[in-house]
Amino acid sequence: MALGAMSGRSRPIASAGAGAYAPDMEKLEEQLAHLLRTVDDLSDIVTHQQDEIDRLNRRVEMLMRREGERDAAGGGGVIVGDERPPHY
């Protein structure tokens, strides 16, 4: 099938002439350039998000370790029904 038929045009390539599809090609190249820039921008965003996820994971791990150490030290005592809290 001729390119003209695939793109919805009714005229065959042979009758179109040499430069008939040049504007279409320029449009495609422009769209391709735009898409490539979009892919690069999205790649940068994904990289930034992964860095942020890694940083947050390290922070959660540190907080979990700290809480585990606090529990192991026994500093998180439970107040029994009639016992006054330490600030009284």
Side-chain angles (χ1 to χ4, degrees):
M1 183 179 339
L3 181 61
M6 289 192 323
S7 65
R9 297 180 190 268
S10 59
R11 62 180 187 226
I13 292 178
S15 66
Y21 291 102
D24 290 339
M25 184 59 84
E26 288 177 17
K27 184 176 180 182
L28 288 173
E29 288 174 350
E30 184 178 317
Q31 289 175 340
L32 179 62
H34 175 71
L35 290 172
L36 288 173
R37 180 172 179 173
T38 301
V39 167
D40 288 342
D41 290 346
L42 290 173
S43 179
D44 291 343
I45 290 169
V46 169
T47 299
H48 174 73
Q49 288 175 338
Q50 186 60 51
D51 292 344
E52 184 74 8
I53 289 169
D54 292 342
R55 186 182 67 80
L56 291 171
N57 280 334
R58 286 191 303 272
R59 198 167 200 183
V60 166
E61 288 173 13
M62 183 264 310
L63 290 171
M64 294 294 287
R65 258 192 322 255
R66 184 184 296 172
E67 188 60 27
E69 291 168 0
R70 185 177 294 153
D71 285 345
V78 177
I79 298 175
V80 182
D82 62 348
E83 186 180 335
R84 291 182 158 223
H87 61 280
Y88 277 93

